[in-house]
Each structure stands twice: as structure tokens, then as C-alpha cells.
Amino acid sequence: MKKTIIYICLSTFLFSSMEIALKVAGATFNPIQLNLIRFFIGSLVLLPIAQASLSKLNRKLTRADWKIFWLTGFCCVIVSMTLFQLAVAATKASTVAVLFSCNPVFALLFAFLLLRERMSRASFISVVVSLIGLVVIIDPAHLSQPVGIILGLLSAVTFGFYSIVSRYGSNKLGLNGVVMTAYTFVAGTIELLVLSLVTHLPFVARSLAAIPALKTFANLPILANITIGSLPLLLYLGICVTGGGFAFYFMAMENSDVSIASLVFFIKPGLAPILAAILIHEKILPTTIIGIVIILIGSVITFVGNRTVEDTSVVNKLPEEKEVVAEEDKLGHYTTHLKH
């Protein structure tokens, strides 16, 4: 249990510091370049763990596996994380952290709408409460940075969609969370590198540069501005946040269960704004505090509801079936809580 607590504390801190580190790094690096670098490093961290997991399963990756990885990589790294990085550049890190932490709400909605999964009463109440908290934080009557908030919301929505695609792929292929995440990062990094190289083609570069809103995407840098001075921050983002955060999360899950490990993401909406206030001196507005409290209440409802369902399902199983239930939880339900 002590190891689980340590893993949860480390993962919570790393994930909660993500937006702050990205905000600081964004002053030096292009948002897309930063995305490329951190997911490349993060994939290198997770790959050995994923390979060890595949060896235990005596499993080799197939073309069908890679078809899913190309899709999840596109949804996660190309779409959601690009929107996320642009949101961090456009508004407060603390605001983006709280908005993005609500992506499980959208994952639940996509699961209900696309996969026809039944939404429990606790999940429905949690969705409603969390949406109320989002409205309070956004504060439509006094909206000062609409672009950043819209980008943050779109990032959370698209990540919720990615979570459902990833969960579907995990169940269909029989791959666990660390394998799905590691190879999603690999595929997404390759895709993002190709797209970055395409922006250097003269015709593409001129076309993007001619449109003010897309000018930042012309001639995307890949290795520019990487110096001895900037390297520690890049390594922190890649090794610690992107790779280590997920590694500790999966280790916590292996030592406990999904609900206990998911405490990482229920704590983040409260911890991230505090870290932002301390480390980069961001001011926390009263409406933000109220919204955070409401979202935390929604998270508690989800946590209690999930624990109740899990305890009931395990109690109702025969002794020899209980281990199977635990393994299915780890394989099939991790993505609802990923990357807050």
C-alpha cells in the first residue's frame, strides 16, 4: 500500500505540473514543436515498459494493432494535444488544467452516444455537476480570453473521444493501458513529424503564411532552440510528465485498482491551480475556486459510484472469477481517466 501511495503522489504532482511546465516552455518553443519533442521523449520512456508487458502476454504487434495506433495517435497527439498546447499558450495554465481535467465527462457522453453504454445514476449526476462547474469557471458573462477557453474545451472534448477510441481498441485487441498509450505516443509522434516536415514544402509554407491565423504553422521548427539551457525543461516534460506520469499511474493501478489509481486525476483540478499560483504567480479568481470545488464534488460522486459498482460486481462473483474481474478493470476501464 505504501508503494501505491508513493506512485499516486508522484503521478499526481507530475500531471498537475504539466500545464505550468508547458506554459514556461511555450515562451521558447513553437507549440507544435513542443508537442513533438515531449511525446517523442515520453514514448521512449514508456516503450520498455510496454515491451515487457507484451513479452509477458507472449504477444507481437500486428497490422491490425498499428491501424488502431495510427488512429489513436492522430486523435491524441495531433488533434487533442495540439489544441491543448495552443490553449496553454492562449490563456492561464490553471484554467486549462481544470478544463482539461473534465475530459472524462465527455468520455462518458461519447460512450453513451457512440457505444450505447449505459450511464449509471452516479455518472449522470457527475456529468451534470461537472458541466455546472465548467460554466462557473468559464463565466460567460465576463469572458476575457475566449480563444484559450474554447481551445481548452475542444481539447478536453477531443481527448474524451480519444479515450473511447482507445478503450475500444484495447478491448478489441486485448492490449493493456501501458501498451496502448506507449504505441499511441509512437504513432502520434511519427504522424506529427511527417506533418511538420510537410509545412516546409514551399507551396504549403507560403499558403499557411498567407493566413494570419495559420502563420504559426508555417515551416514548423523541429530541433530549433534546443540548447543546454532549455534541455532540463524539455527532459522534465518528456521524461517526468509525459513518460513518468503515466508510468507511475500504471504502477499504481497494478498495485491497487483503477478507482484508487484514478485519485490522481480527481486531485489534479484542485492541485494544479495552487501550483500555478505558487510557481508562476497566476491569480486564482473567486469564480475559478467555486468552479473547482463543484468539479471536485463531481469527481467524488464518480469515485464513490465507481467503487460501489466495483465492490458489488466483485462480491457477486464466484471466488475464481474475482481475479478475472480485476484484470478486466485494468484492461478496459483505464482510458476514462487518462491525461488529465
Side-chain angles (χ1 to χ4, degrees):
M1 188 63 182
K2 287 183 179 179
K3 283 186 178 180
T4 302
I5 293 172
I6 292 172
Y7 294 150
I8 288 174
C9 288
L10 287 171
S11 186
T12 301
F13 175 80
L14 292 171
F15 282 140
S16 298
S17 67
M18 177 170 62
E19 290 83 3
I20 299 167
L22 288 173
K23 187 77 172 180
V24 174
T28 304
F29 296 95
N30 178 282
I32 312 303
Q33 177 194 19
L34 193 54
N35 231 19
L36 176 64
I37 293 171
R38 78 180 184 98
F39 278 101
F40 170 70
I41 298 173
S43 65
L44 295 181
V45 173
L46 290 179
L47 271 178
I49 306 173
Q51 283 301 118
S53 180
L54 286 172
S55 296
K56 286 182 181 179
L57 295 171
N58 196 24
R59 172 87 148 74
K60 292 185 177 180
L61 297 180
T62 65
R63 286 186 179 182
D65 297 330
W66 279 102
K67 285 180 181 178
I68 296 293
F69 297 148
W70 294 126
L71 177 58
T72 55
F74 178 81
C75 292
C76 175
V77 179
I78 303 295
V79 180
S80 182
M81 290 296 99
T82 295
L83 292 169
F84 176 78
Q85 186 62 54
L86 293 172
V88 170
T91 190
K92 292 181 180 179
S94 56
T95 301
V96 179
V98 176
L99 293 175
F100 192 75
S101 292
C102 291
N103 74 75
V105 171
F106 301 109
L108 285 170
L109 291 174
F110 282 123
F112 175 73
L113 295 172
L114 301 179
L115 303 182
R116 304 299 180 187
E117 292 186 2
R118 179 179 172 274
M119 187 181 294
S120 67
R121 182 181 298 178
S123 295
F124 177 76
I125 295 173
S126 175
V127 168
V128 173
V129 171
S130 298
L131 289 176
I132 292 171
L134 282 176
V135 173
V136 172
I137 291 173
I138 294 171
D139 192 11
H142 304 89
L143 200 58
S144 57
Q145 293 178 312
V147 174
I149 289 175
I150 291 170
L151 289 171
L153 280 174
L154 288 174
S155 177
V157 171
T158 52
F159 197 87
F161 177 75
Y162 151 71
S163 297
I164 296 304
V165 174
S166 184
R167 191 172 79 187
Y168 170 79
S170 176
N171 291 335
K172 183 178 180 180
L173 303 173
L175 297 174
N176 62 22
V178 68
V179 174
M180 285 296 300
T181 303
Y183 283 96
T184 289
F185 287 2
V186 170
T189 299
I190 294 171
E191 291 169 331
L192 190 55
L193 175 61
V194 171
L195 288 176
S196 297
L197 292 173
V198 167
T199 67
H200 288 262
L201 296 175
F203 171 74
V204 176
R206 286 196 302 269
S207 300
L208 291 171
I211 305 172
L214 300 179
K215 191 174 181 179
T216 187
F217 299 107
N219 293 306
L220 286 171
I222 296 174
L223 299 176
N225 298 322
I226 298 179
T227 63
I228 297 297
S230 65
L231 202 56
L233 184 56
L234 290 177
L235 292 177
Y236 177 77
L237 279 168
I239 296 175
C240 298
V241 175
T242 309
F246 278 105
F248 287 125
Y249 169 72
F250 289 125
M251 285 190 281
M253 191 187 298
E254 289 295 327
N255 281 271
S256 56
D257 56 43
V258 175
S259 289
I260 294 297
S262 68
L263 283 172
V264 170
F265 305 116
F266 295 150
I267 297 171
K268 176 176 174 173
L271 180 60
I274 294 173
L275 290 177
I278 294 172
L279 298 176
I280 56 176
H281 310 295
E282 283 192 355
K283 185 178 179 181
I284 305 177
L285 299 174
T287 51
T288 302
I289 296 173
I290 295 171
I292 289 170
V293 171
I294 294 172
I295 290 171
L296 288 174
I297 291 172
S299 296
V300 170
I301 293 170
T302 300
F303 177 74
V304 173
N306 286 345
R307 291 295 291 175
T308 301
V309 170
E310 287 177 7
D311 292 343
T312 302
S313 64
V314 172
V315 167
N316 290 336
K317 293 285 182 182
L318 295 174
E320 62 269 21
E321 293 177 301
K322 291 182 179 180
E323 291 185 10
V324 177
V325 172
E327 288 304 313
E328 286 177 347
D329 283 343
K330 290 175 183 178
L331 281 172
H333 301 294
Y334 80 99
T335 48
T336 305
H337 307 290
L338 283 180
K339 272 195 181 171
H340 289 243

